[in-house]
Amino acid sequence: MMKRYDVVVIGAGVSGAAIARRLSAYRLSIALLEKEIDVSFGVSKANSGVIHGGFHHSPDLLKSRLEIQGNLMYDKLQRELHFPFRRCGILVAAFSTEEMRIVQELYNRGVANGAIGIELCNGDRMHMLEPKLNSDVMGGLFAPGGGIVEPYRLVFSLVESAVLNGVDLHTNFDVAGVEKSGKTGSEDREYVLHGSDGQSIRGRWVINAAGLFADRISGLFGAEDFRIHPRKGEEFLLDREASAHTGRVIFPVPNPVSKGMLVIPTVEGTTMIGPTALETDDKEDLATSSENFEKVFYSARRLIPSVSERDIITSFAGLRPSLEDGDFYIARSEKAERFVQVAGIQSPGLTAAPAIAEYVKDLLKQGGLELTEDPDYQGEIPAVPRFRSMSLHEQDAAVKADPAYGNIICRCENVSEAEVVAAIRRGHTSLDGIKFYTRAGMGRCQGGFCSYKILQILRRETGLPWEKITKRGRKSWIVRERISPAKTS
Amino acid sequence: MKHTEFDAVVIGGGASGLSAAAEMSRGGASVAVVEREETLGGILNQCIHNGFGLHQYNEELTGPEYAERCIRDLDGLSVKVFTGMTVTLMETEEGTQLLYGFSRESGMVRFRCRAIVLAMGCRERNRGNLGTPGTRPSGIFTAGLAQRLVNIDGMVPGRECVIVGSGDIGLIMARRMTWIGARVRGVIEIQPYPAGITRNIVQCLRDFDIPLYLSHSITRIYGKDRISGVDVAPVRNAGGEASGAFHIPCDTLLLSVGLVPENEISRKAGVRLHPETGGPVVDARYMTSVTGIFACGNVLHVHDLVDYASEEARHCGQAVLDYLSGVSAGEQLRVGAGRNVKYVVPGRFALTGKNRFYLRSMITGTGARLCVRLGGIEVLRRKLPYVQPSEMISFDLAADEDAISSRFTTGGDETDLEVSLEIPEKEGA
C-alpha cells in the first residue's frame, strides 16, 4: 500500500524546502520529492547567496513584494535554523553621471517597494562604506538591509526542520508519470506520482516547485502550458586570503537583462565573483567556458581592483529557471485540480523563499485545504557546532564531550570527524553532500587530502561498498572496482 | 586540556620531520613529533615504487622502506610521538612557543616549547588552480589521491585515463595505472619540457609506450556525472592560433600539476612566505621570520628527492640545537636569486661554518655555469652538465672562501650574495 499524503511538494530546492517546512507547522502529511541524491542539488546549490535589498524590480511585480517580505523574515529564520547569514549591506557602484541616473531610478524603486534604510551616496561615502572600491566610483546606492547566506546550508536546514516536523523526504525521486484517481471535483480525487525507478506515492495536493523542470511537471499533470528558459551563470570563488574580500556585496549598475556581475564576500570568508548571464537551451548544461573567465574578471576588477586570478580556488556554473515575462508564477492551477504552480523562481528567489512559502500556504487555504496548527511543531533545529568557529575553550569542551571533534578531517577548513558524521546521519551521503554540509573539501586544496578520509568515514557509517559511493548520485562513481589479478597485465 | 613541555616540537612525521627530530634528540634535546595521520612516514607510505634512499642509505628502497628507516632511526632515542593529531594553532609568548593539537585519543593538548620545526610537507595543486573550463564530473583526482586509492586500498579509479602534467607523481601513476589494467591514453604537459625527472620519463612512459604531449594543455572537460573526455590543444605560441586540437575520451583524469608547501598554520602564526617557493623565508639556520620557528623539507620548498629533504632536515635539526643552546647566529648575508634562477634556499649565508644551498633553474640546457657573486665579485663558479627546472641543484659555500673573507676584512659594504645560472652566449640560451 503506497503512502497517501495531503500535500506532495515536487522539488527540494529553496522554494520547495521553504514550502514544506512552512506547511509542517500544520497537521498535514507532507512528502518532499527531490530527483537528485541530495536536496538543493538542482538550481539552489549554485545560487550566489545574496539576500537582495528590494530595489532592483518594479513594484508592480509579484517578485518585488515577495523579495521585500522574504528579506525581513531572514533574521528569525536564522535564529531557528542556524545557517550562515549576515546582513552586510549592498552597494551599487556608479562610474558616470549616466550610471548615477540609473541608480536614482533604483533608489526610487526601492522606496516604492518599501526597502528599509536605502540611501543614495556620493563618491566619498561609497569609499567610506567600502574602502576597496575602485577610486573611479563616483557615487551609488547603499541598501543596508541586503546580505549574504550560504544557499545550500539554508536549504539543508529548511529540510532538516521540515523532517523534524514530520515531512517525509524522498531523494532520488524523479517524477516520470502521473495518474489521477477518483472523480473530478470530488473529495477522494487524488494524484499518483510515479518515479522513474518504479517507486510511487499518492497525494491530494501537489506543489510544483520543480525549478528548471517546472514546465515538464506542469505538463505531466495536464496543467498550464509554459516554458522555463534556463539562463546560465558562471561564478568564480577566491581564496579566504584574497585581498579582494570586501565588507559588503558590490553590484555594478544593472542592465535590462541582469543585475550584472558582483563581488560577494561569502559568509564563510571566501570571495565570489560573477555570475554571468547567458541564455541556453540545455537544462543540464553546467559547463564553464574560457570566454566568461575574461568577462567576469574584467567586470569584477572594475569594481574592486584587487581581484586577482591568482586567488581562484574553483569555478562553477548554475542555471536560473526563468519565465518569458521575468516574474514569478505562483498560483493555483486553473486547469489541474489541487495543483499549485511555483515556477520561474529566478533571482530574487532565494531572498523571497520564506515569503513564497507563506504565499503558497495562503493559496492552499483559499483552495480549501484545512490548516490546523500542530501543537507539537518545533521551529528550531539542533545546531551542529562547527570546530572552526569555536574558541580554544569551546574546542576543548567539544573534544571532551565527543572525541570525534578531536579528529580533524579537513585541514584547510578545520572540519572535524564529528561534523562529517553529523552530515551523514542527516542524510548527506554523497561526497558533495558532505562537502556542502560541512565545508570539508571547499578550501584551498579542494579535497586533495580530506576526500580520502571522508570516503572511509562514509563506508564506516553507511556500510556502502567503495563502488557505490558517488560524488553526487547517479553515475558519478568515485572508484570502479577492486584491483583483480585477472585484469592486470 | 593536557599540558606538555618539550625543547622542540616537530609538526609532521614524514621523512623531514623524523630526520629533524632524530638529529635534535641525538643532540640531547627533548623532542615531540606531531603527526596528523595514524602512522608515521607521511606520503612515503603510499609511494610503493622504488628509487628512494640512494643518497641517504646508498641503496634503492621503496617509499615504505625509506619511511621504516626513518622511524627506526628513532630507536633508542626518547622522541615522543603523537599520531592522529592535528596542530590547529601556534602562538608565540615571550620567547616560548605554544602549540595546540587535537586528536581522538588525547583530546586537546597544549605544547609549550622553545623551538618549533615546521615539517608539514606539501599538497597537490588541483583543478581549481588550473581553471580548466567544462563540467565538474566525478573521476578527476590529484595523482596523489589516486595513488592512495590504488596502493593503500587496492581500488581501480577507472579504466581509461588521461594524466595532466608530467610531474613525478603523475609519471609514477601512469605506470601504476597501466599495471592495474587501465589504459593511459596520454600525459599532457603545458611546458616544452617534462616536469618530472628524466628517470621517470624513461621508466614510466617510454617503457610502456605512453604518449607524452609536450606544449599541450587540456582546454575543456566533458561529462555529466562521471568524466567522459577532454579536449587537448597545442599551447598557442606568440604567432596566435594553434591548430591540431583533439579530443580524448576517458573516464579518469589525474592531475599532476605541481605541489604547494602546506603553510596554513605557518601563515596564521605570522610566518612570512616566499612568493617563489610558497614556503617560509628562512635564514642560514632555517629559522623563519618568527623567532624560534624553523622549517625544512617540502614545507619549505618542494624537493625532487626525499634524500635531499632528509639531508636538509638534519641541517635544520643541528641549527635548532645551536639555537637551543644559545649559540648566536652570527652575522649573515642576504642571498638572492640572480639570472635564470627561480629561487635559492636558504635566503641567508652564515659567516661561520659551511653553508649548503638548494636552487631551481628557470632554463633548460647544457653547458650552464653556476655563478655566485658577492657585491659583483665572483666567489664561486661551477660548470653544470645539464640544467632543467625539474632537477634541483645544490652547492656548498664555506665562509672561509678567500674571496668572501677578504671581502669582509676589506670592509666592503655590498653584502649580498647573488646566485645565477649563465649559459655562454655562443651556445644560446
Side-chain angles (χ1 to χ4, degrees):
Chain A
M1 182 63 206
M2 70 183 97
K3 193 156 177 194
R4 179 174 178 275
Y5 293 95
D6 296 322
V7 183
V8 176
V9 182
I10 302 174
V14 73
S15 308
I19 293 163
R21 187 221 180 210
R22 184 66 191 89
L23 296 178
S24 72
Y26 301 97
R27 285 188 167 153
L28 294 169
S29 59
I30 303 161
L32 176 59
L33 310 186
E34 170 55 52
K35 73 174 168 53
E36 300 295 331
I37 192 173
D38 207 337
V39 303
S40 91
F41 274 25
V43 171
S44 299
K45 183 169 74 143
N47 190 292
S48 305
V50 176
I51 299 304
H52 289 287
F55 54 83
H56 271 109
H57 308 286
S58 117
D60 46 24
L61 295 175
L62 169 63
K63 67 183 192 180
S64 301
R65 205 164 72 227
L66 295 175
E67 174 185 355
I68 293 279
Q69 282 173 13
N71 176 305
L72 297 173
M73 294 164 81
Y74 265 88
D75 303 271
K76 176 165 182 263
L77 207 54
Q78 193 226 4
R79 277 197 301 277
E80 293 180 326
L81 304 179
H82 324 292
F83 54 88
F85 164 63
R86 199 168 74 240
R87 264 188 214 284
C88 57
I90 291 174
L91 291 172
V92 181
F95 286 85
S96 63
T97 45
E98 181 53 38
E99 288 199 333
M100 272 311 281
R101 262 200 295 278
I102 302 174
V103 167
Q104 179 76 53
E105 279 172 41
L106 294 180
Y107 173 80
N108 295 343
R109 266 185 194 177
V111 170
N113 285 333
I116 292 171
I118 194 166
E119 56 171 275
L120 286 168
C121 310
N122 71 5
D124 280 351
R125 180 154 170 77
M126 287 291 285
H127 290 106
M128 187 202 78
L129 290 166
E130 181 49 63
K132 291 180 178 177
L133 270 183
N134 187 334
S135 55
D136 292 343
V137 170
M138 58 177 294
L141 175 143
F142 177 44
I148 40 177
V149 293
E150 297 283 280
Y152 34 86
R153 285 276 305 275
L154 166 65
V155 178
F156 288 170
S157 53
L158 285 166
V159 172
E160 219 171 291
S161 172
V163 169
L164 188 73
N165 289 297
V167 172
D168 284 343
L169 171 67
H170 299 267
T171 50
N172 292 317
F173 195 122
D174 179 11
V175 179
V178 178
E179 290 168 73
K180 295 175 188 159
S181 66
K183 278 204 294 291
T184 307
S186 73
E187 246 333 275
D188 61 349
R189 176 75 191 224
E190 58 182 35
Y191 295 105
V192 183
L193 289 71
H194 299 290
S196 53
D197 61 351
Q199 47 186 336
S200 303
I201 62 166
R202 299 148 81 97
R204 287 186 66 231
W205 280 86
V206 172
I207 317 274
N208 175 16
L212 289 163
F213 301 95
D215 47 3
R216 184 170 66 84
I217 294 292
S218 188
L220 284 178
F221 282 84
E224 284 74 5
D225 187 18
F226 56 86
R227 265 203 64 205
I228 297 287
H229 302 273
R231 207 166 70 249
K232 184 150 78 167
E234 293 185 33
E235 312 234 25
F236 291 84
L237 199 63
L238 309 182
D239 195 286
R240 271 177 199 288
E241 301 288 326
S243 56
H245 191 78
T246 50
R248 308 178 193 281
V249 179
I250 316 295
F251 279 81
V253 171
N255 63 35
V257 188
S258 120
K259 296 186 176 79
M261 289 182 255
L262 344 172
V263 177
I264 305 161
T266 73
V267 197
E268 292 285 7
T270 53
T271 306
M272 189 143 51
I273 58 173
T276 54
L278 191 73
E279 307 292 331
T280 165
D281 38 27
D282 178 356
K283 290 180 178 178
E284 298 197 332
D285 168 20
L286 290 172
T288 54
S289 65
S290 47
E291 305 77 67
N292 284 320
F293 173 87
E294 309 286 336
K295 223 186 287 180
V296 170
F297 273 84
Y298 173 81
S299 164
R301 261 196 216 108
R302 190 166 162 259
L303 297 169
I304 306 290
S306 56
V307 164
S308 162
E309 294 173 21
R310 285 186 68 152
D311 294 323
I312 298 177
I313 52 177
T314 187
S315 62
F316 60 91
L319 295 168
R320 310 167 180 85
S322 61
L323 283 165
E324 205 69 64
D325 69 358
D327 202 355
F328 296 165
Y329 170 33
I330 308 174
R332 279 197 314 279
S333 169
E334 289 170 13
K335 292 172 79 176
E337 274 182 87
R338 296 203 282 258
F339 184 78
V340 180
Q341 306 278 17
V342 184
I345 313 296
Q346 53 164 324
S347 179
L350 183 80
T351 312
I356 291 174
E358 204 62 37
Y359 191 82
V360 168
K361 180 260 299 176
D362 292 341
L363 288 177
L364 292 170
K365 198 171 174 178
Q366 290 154 14
L369 178 66
E370 192 163 322
L371 298 178
T372 316
E373 285 197 19
D374 180 352
D376 297 332
Y377 173 76
Q378 296 175 43
E380 194 167 346
I381 59 171
V384 173
R386 311 271 164 168
F387 185 91
R388 77 178 159 279
S389 45
M390 298 176 190
S391 65
L392 278 172
H393 179 75
E394 289 166 333
Q395 287 170 343
D396 188 23
V399 177
K400 280 201 180 87
D402 178 1
Y405 268 107
N407 185 13
I408 307 299
I409 297 297
C410 166
R411 49 178 83 173
C412 303
E413 297 287 312
N414 271 342
V415 178
S416 67
E417 184 187 341
E419 292 152 71
V420 175
V421 170
I424 296 169
R425 296 198 179 153
R426 281 166 175 72
H428 306 293
T429 53
S430 63
L431 277 187
D432 276 3
I434 292 170
K435 175 169 96 174
F436 285 100
Y437 189 87
T438 64
R439 289 192 69 76
M442 278 199 180
R444 225 159 267 151
C445 93
Q446 291 284 295
F449 287 108
C450 65
S451 305
Y452 182 81
K453 294 185 171 184
I454 291 167
L455 285 168
Q456 301 288 26
I457 298 171
L458 253 173
R459 287 174 54 229
R460 183 190 77 202
E461 292 288 318
T462 61
L464 284 169
W466 276 105
E467 314 70 278
K468 286 276 180 279
I469 295 175
T470 63
K471 179 173 165 32
R472 52 161 180 267
R474 287 197 299 253
K475 296 195 180 78
S476 62
W477 47 276
I478 310 288
V479 295
R480 203 182 181 93
E481 64 213 341
R482 290 216 154 275
I483 296 175
S484 66
K487 286 190 179 134
T488 58
S489 44
Chain B
M1 177 165 57
K2 296 183 186 62
H3 297 266
T4 58
E5 248 181 87
F6 296 92
D7 291 329
V9 175
V10 181
I11 308 176
S16 308
L18 294 175
S19 302
E23 196 69 20
M24 293 187 294
S25 183
R26 272 195 292 269
S30 66
V31 182
V33 173
V34 182
E35 165 57 45
R36 231 182 312 233
E37 299 298 325
E38 298 302 325
T39 48
L40 291 171
I43 220 74
L44 285 165
N45 291 323
Q46 65 185 58
C47 302
I48 62 174
H49 54 282
N50 64 358
F52 299 93
L54 286 167
H55 300 264
Q56 288 296 310
Y57 298 106
N58 296 318
E59 53 182 305
E60 206 170 18
L61 306 170
T62 63
E65 285 170 332
Y66 190 103
E68 195 189 353
R69 298 280 175 109
C70 295
I71 295 164
R72 243 192 289 152
D73 284 346
L74 300 181
D75 284 351
L77 299 171
S78 55
V79 173
K80 182 95 177 83
V81 173
F82 296 82
T83 52
M85 179 176 281
T86 302
V87 173
T88 56
L89 188 66
M90 300 191 281
E91 288 175 338
T92 303
E93 197 181 78
E94 297 162 34
T96 63
Q97 318 289 339
L98 292 178
L99 277 91
Y100 296 90
F102 288 84
S103 78
R104 240 179 181 295
E105 204 181 323
S106 316
M108 180 175 179
V109 180
R110 190 180 80 168
F111 297 86
R112 183 188 286 278
C113 59
R114 291 167 56 210
I116 293 173
V117 176
L118 305 175
M120 296 89 80
C122 57
R123 62 177 172 81
E124 298 170 277
R125 289 181 70 235
N126 55 59
R127 181 191 173 175
N129 307 122
L130 280 181
T132 309
T135 54
R136 279 155 308 286
S138 74
I140 303 172
F141 303 86
T142 58
L145 175 56
Q147 184 181 46
R148 191 163 188 158
L149 290 166
V150 174
N151 293 346
I152 306 284
D153 298 284
M155 300 310 296
V156 179
R159 294 237 152 257
E160 297 285 328
C161 175
V162 171
I163 298 177
V164 185
S166 57
D168 288 309
I169 316 167
L171 299 174
I172 296 280
M173 280 313 289
R175 178 175 63 184
R176 191 74 186 98
M177 291 297 287
T178 308
W179 279 339
I180 61 170
R183 184 164 146 216
V184 180
R185 310 194 62 149
V187 174
I188 319 296
E189 171 57 55
I190 197 163
Q191 297 290 350
Y193 48 83
I197 57 179
T198 312
R199 182 179 69 193
N200 286 334
I201 295 286
V202 175
Q203 295 179 359
C204 301
L205 300 188
R206 286 194 202 143
D207 290 357
F208 296 90
D209 296 326
I210 295 168
L212 170 63
Y213 299 94
L214 294 173
S215 301
H216 280 68
S217 67
I218 58 163
T219 53
R220 200 172 180 89
I221 291 172
Y222 296 86
K224 198 163 79 92
D225 298 331
R226 177 81 184 190
I227 187 168
S228 64
V230 291
D231 282 344
V232 179
V235 177
R236 265 182 255 186
N237 53 21
E241 278 305 309
S243 58
F246 54 99
H247 180 82
I248 309 181
C250 63
D251 67 9
T252 304
L253 186 69
L254 302 189
L255 306 178
S256 177
V257 287
L259 300 166
V260 186
E262 264 258 81
N263 281 289
E264 304 290 312
I265 50 171
S266 327
R267 200 186 278 119
K268 274 191 256 174
V271 169
R272 205 155 65 86
L273 300 183
H274 190 300
E276 290 292 349
T277 60
V281 173
V282 293
D283 69 5
R285 45 182 198 172
Y286 294 95
M287 185 145 80
T288 67
S289 61
V290 179
T291 305
I293 301 184
F294 297 75
C296 61
N298 279 350
V299 80
L300 178 59
H301 61 120
V302 176
H303 300 59
D304 32 359
L305 296 180
V306 68
D307 301 67
Y308 292 153
S310 290
E311 174 188 78
E312 184 179 84
R314 277 203 305 280
H315 286 297
C316 176
Q318 274 303 328
V320 177
L321 288 171
D322 285 348
Y323 169 81
L324 290 171
S325 55
V327 176
S328 136
E331 199 176 352
Q332 299 192 0
L333 305 185
R334 276 182 314 199
V335 181
R339 292 166 66 187
N340 302 324
V341 172
K342 192 164 166 62
Y343 67 77
V344 185
V345 171
R348 288 282 189 277
F349 175 87
L351 289 171
T352 49
K354 197 176 73 167
N355 290 265
R356 166 152 289 191
F357 293 98
Y358 301 93
L359 65 132
R360 281 205 187 266
S361 166
M362 294 173 83
I363 51 171
T364 306
T366 50
R369 288 195 191 86
L370 170 73
C371 297
V372 182
R373 293 190 182 81
L374 172 59
I377 313 270
E378 200 169 278
V379 293
L380 180 85
R381 164 183 282 252
R382 190 197 303 167
K383 265 200 168 147
L384 299 169
Y386 181 74
V387 294
Q388 64 177 40
S390 64
E391 310 253 356
M392 202 162 76
I393 300 161
S394 67
F395 68 93
D396 291 329
L397 193 60
D400 53 13
E401 301 263 349
D402 287 350
I404 296 177
S405 39
S406 70
R407 188 87 203 136
F408 277 83
T409 48
T410 57
D413 52 1
E414 293 272 357
T415 56
D416 272 351
L417 276 173
E418 191 186 62
V419 182
S420 300
L421 287 169
E422 289 156 24
I423 287 192
E425 289 303 317
K426 60 176 171 42
E427 296 181 39

